[in-house]
Amino acid sequence: MADNRISATLSPADKEAVMQAIATIKEKLPFLVDLTPEERRTMLKMGDKSRAFVSKALEVATQNPNFLPRSFDLEEMRRDLALFESLYPVFLSLTQLQELVDDTCIASASEAYTAALAVYSYAKASGDVTGLDGVIDEMGRRFNRRSKKKQPEATVS
């Protein structure tokens, strides 16, 4: 078999503790928003250069509020930037954690699937596995290809 990159278990108690920790994170961040794909696509994104620009704009606006229209909410801008700055380290940590969980799921699933293919191959090659013909046939259906091309209709003359 291929390299075994992961060999671990997650106890039900640990799984529950992790799920509770995630629930606690959600509870502590009740203001999180759920954007639609369209909203995500059309919103301005703030990278490192934009962060410096936004900070500078806030500084200019704070020191020179007279040129801003009355409807401009400087305090809301300050709150938005402060929230972003507070959430950014959380975002980085969660992104790293998500990548690790994702990679571990991919690795463990790949290893399980590779092992399952070996079991199927050995069972099929053995030929003398009494009572398993039906199960082997059922497993083999996983590999039956369905034709994507529509069969031409028979013409009636």
Side-chain angles (χ1 to χ4, degrees):
M1 257 177 47
D3 291 338
N4 190 27
R5 297 182 57 124
I6 181 79
S7 182
T9 59
L10 179 61
S11 72
D14 284 348
K15 180 182 173 186
E16 183 56 36
V18 169
M19 296 305 292
Q20 186 56 50
I22 293 169
T24 299
I25 291 169
K26 288 179 179 179
E27 180 184 302
K28 297 295 181 185
L29 304 172
F31 48 79
L32 295 178
V33 297
D34 185 17
L35 301 175
T36 66
E38 179 65 15
E39 289 170 324
R40 285 177 151 272
R41 192 180 64 73
T42 59
M43 285 186 158
L44 295 174
K45 311 299 184 292
M46 185 162 57
D48 290 336
K49 291 179 183 177
S50 300
R51 282 173 79 178
F53 175 80
V54 171
S55 293
K56 181 64 76 179
L58 180 59
E59 186 179 313
V60 168
T62 300
Q63 292 178 7
N64 305 286
N66 296 337
F67 71 85
L68 297 172
R70 291 179 194 235
S71 61
F72 189 87
D73 192 341
L74 186 56
E75 286 308 308
E76 185 59 32
M77 180 183 181
R78 189 173 280 116
R79 277 190 298 275
D80 288 343
L81 182 57
L83 179 59
F84 172 79
E85 294 294 343
S86 294
L87 281 176
Y88 196 68
V90 174
F91 168 76
L92 291 176
S93 292
L94 289 174
T95 300
Q96 182 182 16
L97 178 61
Q98 180 180 355
E99 187 174 308
L100 291 169
V101 170
D102 190 42
D103 288 350
T104 304
C105 281
I106 289 169
S108 61
S110 176
E111 290 176 11
Y113 191 28
T114 299
L117 288 172
V119 167
Y120 174 68
S121 178
Y122 296 144
K124 208 169 114 177
S126 174
D128 65 349
V129 184
T130 307
L132 290 183
D133 289 340
V135 174
I136 292 170
D137 287 345
E138 183 181 329
M139 290 174 71
R141 285 188 215 129
R142 158 68 179 89
F143 304 104
N144 289 344
R145 293 182 183 235
R146 293 183 185 152
S147 176
K148 292 184 179 184
K149 293 181 181 178
K150 190 174 182 181
Q151 298 295 329
E153 295 181 21
T155 55
V156 179
S157 351

